[in-house]
Amino acid sequence: TSREKLACIGGSNGGLLVGNLITRPVASSLFGAAVCQVPLLDMKRYSKLLAGASWMGEYGDPDTKDWTFLRKHSPYHILRNDILGKPELKDDGELGPPTESTNPDWTCPKTLFTTSTRDDRVHPGH
């Protein structure tokens, strides 16, 4: 087969995995499309939406030193700050300076995102 004929799909926790896959430079060389269903994509705010607080035992607390690890696995932050070079929000709520893109050659595979207002675990705001 070929990259153009391969896709990845994942929902809920698998949506977090797909989010991490599509924000990595290697993604566009592995598959041509992705389906990301009811994903958890913002690892900084997950604990503030619905059942998210109950996951801190599994993922860690983003408001502590755990954020150093979680930041490396937060698709939203990887895309916004690392790939697009947008300023990162500092702990005091102020925006930091724009950063230089760490992945200027990154290409996102074609992606379908789905969410639901009926999922009692992953809030659509994720």
Side-chain angles (χ1 to χ4, degrees), residues 28-44:
S28 59
S29 67
L30 296 177
F31 43 86
V35 179
C36 194
Q37 301 169 312
V38 290
L40 173 60
L41 299 174
D42 184 347
M43 297 304 289
K44 183 68 172 171

Side-chain angles (χ1 to χ4, degrees), residues 37-42 45 49-51 55 113-126:
Q37 301 169 312
V38 290
L40 173 60
L41 299 174
D42 184 347
R45 294 180 348 127
L49 298 172
L50 291 181
W55 306 334
F113 289 97
T114 65
T115 191
S116 172
T117 57
R118 296 176 187 242
D119 189 314
D120 62 350
R121 294 166 309 226
V122 182
H123 188 278
H126 284 290

Side-chain angles (χ1 to χ4, degrees), residues 29-85:
S29 67
L30 296 177
F31 43 86
V35 179
C36 194
Q37 301 169 312
V38 290
L40 173 60
L41 299 174
D42 184 347
M43 297 304 289
K44 183 68 172 171
R45 294 180 348 127
Y46 83 87
S47 61
K48 300 185 178 20
L49 298 172
L50 291 181
S54 66
W55 306 334
M56 287 194 295
E58 180 178 351
Y59 293 127
D61 183 345
D63 295 324
T64 67
K65 62 182 171 86
D66 294 343
W67 175 240
T68 304
F69 174 80
L70 289 169
R71 168 64 174 80
K72 296 175 186 166
H73 303 283
S74 179
Y76 173 79
H77 293 87
I78 293 168
L79 177 63
R80 177 179 167 76
N81 306 120
D82 299 345
I83 295 171
L84 300 178

